Amino acid sequence: MEVKDILTKELVVFDLEATTKEAVIREMAGILDSKGILADKEVYIQAVLNRETHATTGIGNNIAIPHGKSDSVKRSAIAFARTNNLIEWESLDDEPVNMIFLLAISDSDKTDAHLKILAEIATKLMDDDIVVGLKETRAKEEVIRILNEGVVEV
């Protein structure tokens, strides 16, 4: 399983209005739920919030990758959002976030699939051109293309 298999344009959102970490997670979980990905939205949200208490998912560069293990995920997916507001996330670089990748991994993919997805996203986000492309684009299809191809057209 790779990012290209579980991130679709229906799960890409610009201009998320949330102003807190929990509100971001709730709003993004609502998107996953509306697409039939979650069996129980509240159980999933609690799993993600619980994971946040153990260590930050704010990786720096205004990016967070929240996730949680829960049997309430029917099929694996990633939601991507950019927020209108900078959100305090207790990130590794102490900077707020405005780009969030919310991972929802199903039981059948939980062996090490979520670790591979996290590693794939983190590796791609080490490329400054990819980060700039994700921060600047206004096209959902472009978010998918940037993450799948790993290159940004100049």
Side-chain angles (χ1 to χ4, degrees):
M1 179 175 61
E2 298 177 8
V3 170
K4 66 181 180 181
D5 302 322
I6 59 175
L7 176 64
T8 62
K9 67 181 183 178
E10 294 79 21
L11 299 174
V12 174
V13 179
F14 300 116
D15 303 318
L16 201 70
E17 291 291 336
T19 58
T20 67
K21 180 193 304 190
E22 182 172 344
V24 166
I25 291 167
R26 286 188 173 283
E27 197 168 336
M28 291 180 75
I31 294 163
L32 293 170
D33 191 48
S34 73
K35 301 301 179 194
I37 294 165
L38 304 177
D40 188 323
K41 181 175 77 169
E42 286 304 316
V43 168
Y44 172 72
I45 289 169
Q46 287 310 309
V48 175
L49 293 173
N50 184 51
R51 167 62 184 80
E52 288 291 325
T53 66
H54 296 292
T56 186
T57 57
I59 63 169
N61 210 5
N62 305 115
I63 301 166
I65 311 174
H67 52 282
K69 295 181 182 180
S70 167
D71 58 4
S72 65
V73 177
K74 294 194 270 187
R75 64 180 167 88
S76 295
I78 299 172
F80 170 83
R82 279 198 326 235
T83 61
N84 287 333
N85 306 292
L86 289 171
I87 311 296
E88 176 52 49
W89 211 280
E90 300 156 348
S91 297
L92 296 175
D93 63 358
D94 292 321
E95 295 295 323
V97 305
N98 65 351
M99 275 198 310
I100 300 99
F101 294 85
L102 179 61
L103 277 59
I105 307 299
S106 71
D107 275 338
S108 61
D109 293 328
K110 277 188 190 159
T111 50
D112 61 350
H114 74 286
L115 297 176
K116 288 180 181 176
I117 292 293
L118 280 168
E120 180 183 351
I121 292 171
T123 299
K124 289 179 180 190
L125 294 175
M126 287 192 282
D127 183 326
D128 290 339
D129 291 335
I130 288 176
V131 173
V132 168
L134 291 172
K135 286 183 178 183
E136 293 180 352
T137 188
R138 295 297 305 163
K140 293 179 177 190
E141 295 83 2
E142 185 68 2
V143 169
I144 305 297
R145 190 195 66 72
I146 289 169
L147 289 169
N148 287 341
E149 297 175 19
V151 294
V152 179
E153 294 173 3
V154 187

